Amino acid sequence: MSDILVSEQSAPGADGSGRPSGRLLEVEDLRVEFRTRDGVAKVINGVTYHVEAGETLAVLGESGSGKSVTAQTIMGILDTPPGFVTNGQVRFHGKDMLKMSAEERRRIRGEGIAMIFQDSLSALNPVFTVGFQIAEQFRIRRGMSRADAKKRAVEMLDQVKIPNAKGRYSNYPHQFSGGMRQRAMIAMSLALDPEVLIADEPTTALDVTVQAQIMDLLGELQRERQMGMILITHDLGVVADVADRIAVMYAGRIVEEADVFELYRKPAHPYTLGLLNSIPRMDERGQELRTIKGLPPNLMNIPPGCPFNPRCPMAQPVCREKVPPLLQVGAGRASACHFAEELVNRD
Amino acid sequence: MTENIIEVRDLVKHYPVTSGVVFKKTIGQVKAVDGVSFDLKAGETLGVVGESGCGKSTLARVLMNLEKPTAGSVLYKGQDISRLSGGALRRLRRQIQLVMQDPYTSLNPRMTVGDLIGEPFEIHPEVAPKGSRRSKVKELLDLVGLNPEHINRYPHQFSGGQRQRIGIARALALRPEVIVCDEPVSALDVSIQAQVMNLLEKLQSEFGLSYVFIAHDLSVVRHLSDRVAVMYLGKMVEIGTEDEIYERPTHPYTQALLSAVPVPDPTLRENKTIIRLTGDVPSPISPPSGCRFRTRCWKAQDVCAQEVPLLEIRPGSDHPSACHFAEKREIVASYEG
Ligand SMILES: Nc1ncnc2c1ncn2[C@@H]1O[C@H](COP(=O)(O)OP(=O)(O)OP(=O)(O)O)[C@@H](O)[C@H]1O
Ligand SMILES: Nc1ncnc2c1ncn2[C@@H]1O[C@H](COP(=O)(O)OP(=O)(O)O)[C@@H](O)[C@H]1O
Ligand code: SF4
Ligand code: SF4
Ligand SMILES: [Mg+2]
Ligand SMILES: [Mg+2]
């Protein structure tokens, strides 16, 4: 495994402290399957990524590629059964959370790692006011008095730029617009000042003008707090705007990892290339879009060899036989393709 | 000049807001569409963009004659569609078809694909006599890139993109002239979205279809549209060719909308100016007086609260815009950068 870029660098204890320098959260060779009546779906098949303080890692992939299940595993909210972790580690400050007691994990949630979800309406409790839900965290986790907790909650609402925060404190979630609910959820997840924030499609349900406001806000709060952020999304536009590094997922694997500029300039995996080619560009009206043929694989029956091979325009016989490992292909980037070198070295 | 296949004039659709359980009392009106006029030319694609709740789907339903307008008219080849009945109405229903956003809920899960696509023939038997229907359905499946052998499968056995193809095949069954597409690719992943967009373009050139293409994704709309209309809170605020709207927008809302589109090119990050709109879209029950955009507009003056700006061409611009101070602005992030 020493040839895998990410795990090579992340060997814990490199600085003798048992804590990898800068790496807050590391996922290594994670495997998750769902055991259902219809069969076993192998949804995460060896995911490795990490995030450092102050950086934004974008996890990019199409629906069903395993982005959210990875996040759920990190947060310890995987639906078990049917979901089972069959391999791997999720280290926070070098310590494997999958081996921690429920109590230890609970302490990390919120303060160490927090998460915001795509669907704010179902993530907020409809029967409590928005303000109360934020204040509760200060009461339970910080032992604050009712009055202090309320004051802090109003401050949080104010920080996420909800107008008239004091007045809005006692509104219920349904009284907020979609954009305001998303802000409220950000306030709630940042209340305990987490070191890592996982944002799972935080703006997918929002309009572009509101999306821009929310992404601005997240960026601002992240810089202030030097948080590490894992931004899960399928939107190649949003990623280009905010990511530092990108991990591209396909069929439960990271198929490419690179710095944002490198990835857009010269993708090192045919799937990434295909994705970039299929977005409608505003300056190419009328031209046929280049598409990726076919569909993502059925996770109960992933094709042997490279999981992308049935759709890949570059596929060779070897691709049907050998699974390409995620290998380094130049400084700070990795690709899981037998022909990555050729892709990177083309002019 | 190309003929207008659809003409929409001063179209209004209000929904009553009621309170009370037993004695319903109308306490207001949701002004979902509030005075919209435009033409659809034969063979063209008119894109309609705007944020959630601005009235796009309501417009689609009225165009489809699924709902009667509160005021104003939709003329199909000169005939007011809300006044048609009997044979004329049936003929109209053949000519305008709808493709909807959600490939998961818009198809009856208990019907086979063959029944779903063949269903329009039950209502319009003149299009395909009974004996020829199965082969017609297979032709349609082939046309939209699905395997004709899968005619007996159910919707849940298909992926999202494939279900959208089924919806398109169904809309094509009666050989319509116009297809209203309400967010047809919004629920799809990029690689699948591109497949469906290519299919829509292929079908248009093959059958000379006219499209009303509703979407909130401005890049998708630009890719497919000849002309584009921008809606805000029940009104059309700007309309023009795709070039006029994307390269020379004059309405502040259009400018803000375009500036906020995330561009899939990280090298443009730095030299991109996003116009930041503050606040939320006001309620369509009591929209602001005068210009509806004034509560979020950085250019608003006193006159904006008093006079409704008409959708018209003003000096110094080449296409209609509903702003008292319509003018070009060199801001919009472009790919050419
Ligand atoms: N049957 C109805 N009764 C009452 N209000 C309605 C009805 N249908 C739509 N509305 C309201 O009319 C306005 C316009 O709705 P519409 O569905 O046309 O928006 P849209 O532009 O299609 O939005 P989206 O992008 O979210 O699909 C909204 O405020 C909506 O809540
Ligand atoms: N509770 C569950 N039971 C069974 N399968 C699941 C469950 N949650 C997710 N999956 C499956 O796991 C795969 C990955 O899902 P997910 O991580 O949500 O994808 P995404 O990349 O869109 O976030 C999908 O095939 C999905 O259907
Ligand atoms: S390993 Fe082969 S099939 Fe897989 S992406 Fe590379 S070229 Fe394509
Ligand atoms: S009319 Fe006034 S408020 Fe409306 S868009 Fe123009 S400047 Fe802004
Ligand atoms: Mg997801
Ligand atoms: Mg709609």
Side-chain angles (χ1 to χ4, degrees), chain A residues 2-5 255 324-330 333-337 340-341:
Chain A
S2 66
D3 49 10
I4 292 179
L5 167 80
V255 295
L326 184 67
L327 295 178
Q328 185 157 355
V329 280
R333 64 185 311 187
S335 164
C337 169
E341 295 286 345

Side-chain angles (χ1 to χ4, degrees), chain A residues 80-130:
Chain A
T80 309
F84 295 91
V85 176
T86 58
N87 188 59
Q89 295 193 343
V90 176
R91 291 191 297 268
F92 182 61
H93 286 296
K95 212 171 156 212
D96 189 1
M97 299 205 294
L98 299 179
K99 298 212 174 73
M100 287 179 188
S101 68
E103 177 51 34
E104 262 180 298
R105 295 206 66 163
R106 206 169 310 129
R107 246 180 285 131
I108 293 176
R109 226 174 284 148
E111 277 170 78
I113 311 172
M115 180 157 169
I116 54 183
F117 300 87
Q118 168 172 355
D119 181 4
S120 53
L121 197 54
S122 58
L124 291 165
N125 191 330
V127 304
F128 295 111
T129 67
V130 170

Side-chain angles (χ1 to χ4, degrees), chain B residues 97-98 106-107 111 115-120 123 140 144 165-174 176:
Chain B
Q97 294 292 324
L98 181 66
S106 59
L107 299 172
M111 287 169 77
D115 294 340
L116 281 165
I117 299 175
E119 192 181 36
I123 306 158
L140 284 162
V144 298
R165 289 172 191 266
I166 297 170
I168 293 168
R170 197 175 134 95
L172 283 173
L174 301 174

Side-chain angles (χ1 to χ4, degrees), chain A residues 93-273:
Chain A
H93 286 296
K95 212 171 156 212
D96 189 1
M97 299 205 294
L98 299 179
K99 298 212 174 73
M100 287 179 188
S101 68
E103 177 51 34
E104 262 180 298
R105 295 206 66 163
R106 206 169 310 129
R107 246 180 285 131
I108 293 176
R109 226 174 284 148
E111 277 170 78
I113 311 172
M115 180 157 169
I116 54 183
F117 300 87
Q118 168 172 355
D119 181 4
S120 53
L121 197 54
S122 58
L124 291 165
N125 191 330
V127 304
F128 295 111
T129 67
V130 170
F132 177 81
Q133 294 182 56
I134 299 171
E136 270 305 271
Q137 300 197 62
F138 292 118
R139 292 205 335 121
I140 297 171
R141 301 288 288 273
R142 295 271 193 264
M144 285 187 190
S145 72
R146 205 173 276 273
D148 286 348
K150 177 167 177 179
K151 208 170 127 235
R152 283 289 292 129
V154 172
E155 276 170 29
M156 282 310 300
L157 288 173
D158 198 50
Q159 259 190 47
V160 296
K161 307 199 169 100
I162 288 184
N164 179 22
K166 217 173 179 150
R168 286 295 192 165
Y169 178 91
S170 33
N171 279 178
Y172 288 89
H174 74 268
Q175 293 173 294
F176 277 25
S177 70
M180 286 216 304
R181 264 200 310 271
Q182 205 57 306
R183 284 168 197 275
M185 193 156 58
I186 293 173
M188 192 147 90
S189 53
L190 295 189
L192 302 176
D193 206 4
E195 291 172 80
V196 175
L197 179 68
I198 303 178
D200 191 356
E201 312 255 6
T203 59
T204 302
L206 306 174
D207 286 317
V208 281
T209 60
V210 184
Q211 168 172 299
Q213 293 171 356
I214 299 288
M215 288 317 299
D216 275 0
L217 174 70
L218 275 176
E220 216 174 278
L221 295 167
Q222 181 196 20
R223 273 188 302 278
E224 267 168 27
R225 297 155 181 251
Q226 277 300 297
M227 261 183 331
M229 182 151 90
I230 299 178
L231 175 70
I232 297 175
T233 179
H234 64 270
D235 189 325
L236 289 142
V238 171
V239 169
D241 271 349
V242 304
D244 296 311
R245 268 185 316 120
I246 302 180
V248 182
M249 274 189 89
Y250 187 79
R253 283 194 175 85
I254 304 293
V255 295
E256 173 161 13
E257 188 193 324
D259 160 87
V260 61
F261 295 99
E262 287 298 304
L263 185 117
Y264 280 74
R265 196 176 60 82
K266 199 179 245 186
H269 194 283
Y271 175 63
T272 317
L273 183 63

